[in-house]
Amino acid sequence: MKKSLSGLIVLVVLFQAFTACSSKASKGGSAKLKARFEVAGMCSNYTFSVIEGRVDPSLVEATWTNPQTNKTYWKAFGISNPCNFPSNIKEGDTFYFEIIPAEKDSKCAVCMAFYPTPEKKLNIKVIQ
């Protein structure tokens, strides 16, 4: 009886841990995602697509069409922290990242020229 009760407790704990991790990943917690750098628009107006991993659909554009090129991207997003984006990653490259909370006092100066990007923006940290 004690063995079956211990086994049941272990199963419940493992299930709760798995559920918590899955929920965190789908809501944009610290889950590792893979993206492609789709468009390097002027003045850090960047567009990316999630190409691997589960991301909360409310955080990205299901589809977004660049009005300059008429090309459509899936699971597209821009970034809210372009000054923290590594300069060695170029258009067409893929990379791993995680969604992180926005920094309150993060000031970033970029030029004000406009290039279209998806409306949804994520604050990301590239995982090297």
Side-chain angles (χ1 to χ4, degrees), residues 10 12-13 15-16 18 51 53 67 69 75 77 109:
V10 168
V12 168
V13 169
F15 178 76
Q16 287 178 337
F18 175 76
I51 60 172
T69 63
K75 296 184 191 175
F77 65 96

Side-chain angles (χ1 to χ4, degrees), residues 38-96:
E38 300 289 8
V39 181
M42 67 178 96
C43 296
S44 302
N45 288 295
Y46 302 147
T47 298
F48 304 89
S49 295
V50 176
I51 60 172
E52 190 177 291
R54 289 179 42 188
V55 63
D56 182 338
S58 70
L59 298 177
V60 296
E61 303 285 342
T63 60
W64 178 77
T65 301
N66 182 338
Q68 299 290 332
T69 63
N70 232 17
K71 187 169 180 184
T72 300
Y73 302 95
W74 290 265
K75 296 184 191 175
F77 65 96
I79 55 174
S80 58
N81 58 336
C83 291
N84 295 337
F85 190 73
S87 61
N88 63 320
I89 300 175
K90 305 296 181 201
E91 191 174 273
D93 289 351
T94 60
F95 60 93
Y96 288 95

